[in-house]
Amino acid sequence: MTVPRFDEIIHPSTRLSLVATLAATDWAEFSYLKERLALSDSALSKQLTTLESAGYVSTERPSTGRRRTVRARLTPTGREAFDGHVAALRAIVDQPHADSSPSPTGEPRP
């Protein structure tokens, strides 16, 4: 069972989208991530660097003929952090709202 744990590194929407995309695959090419997330080269590179510094993502630069490509994957630490963050978000969403709680008499509040 995944322990819910809110993660400040993953939470910003761009990084959350990036990690969610990586969680669905083994490896993803830089160009695919750039297109999928509608980011510039520099914005994607910055997000990957932040996640890599945290140990959540690893990158490699294999040579394919005359071109060097960059690809990224989620590390086991990154997958655990992502799963915990998603569980924390689900716990927040699933909490009953204070407005919908019954009154002390058991009647629904207006």
Side-chain angles (χ1 to χ4, degrees):
M1 171 142 183
T2 301
V3 176
R5 186 178 63 90
F6 192 85
D7 193 298
E8 295 288 341
I9 294 169
I10 293 175
H11 189 67
S13 62
T14 301
R15 285 196 290 264
L16 182 58
S17 296
L18 176 55
V19 172
T21 301
L22 291 173
T25 187
D26 290 332
W27 287 94
E29 298 287 332
F30 188 93
S31 58
Y32 171 78
L33 294 170
K34 178 183 163 185
E35 183 180 318
R36 171 107 169 121
L37 302 171
L39 295 173
S40 66
D41 286 358
S42 62
L44 178 55
S45 181
K46 180 181 178 184
Q47 300 307 324
L48 286 171
T49 298
T50 298
L51 292 166
E52 196 166 20
S53 295
Y56 292 177
V57 167
S58 65
T59 59
E60 64 178 35
R61 291 154 177 79
S63 291
T64 54
R66 298 181 346 181
R67 285 181 96 183
R68 278 195 84 142
T69 59
V70 176
R71 64 184 197 160
R73 71 176 177 153
L74 207 54
T75 64
T77 300
R79 186 165 301 280
E80 183 178 321
F82 175 68
D83 291 344
H85 188 71
V86 169
L89 293 175
R90 282 196 177 119
I92 292 168
V93 171
D94 291 343
Q95 282 181 353
H97 298 288
D99 296 350
S100 64
S101 63
S103 69
T105 61
E107 303 265 337
R109 295 186 192 266

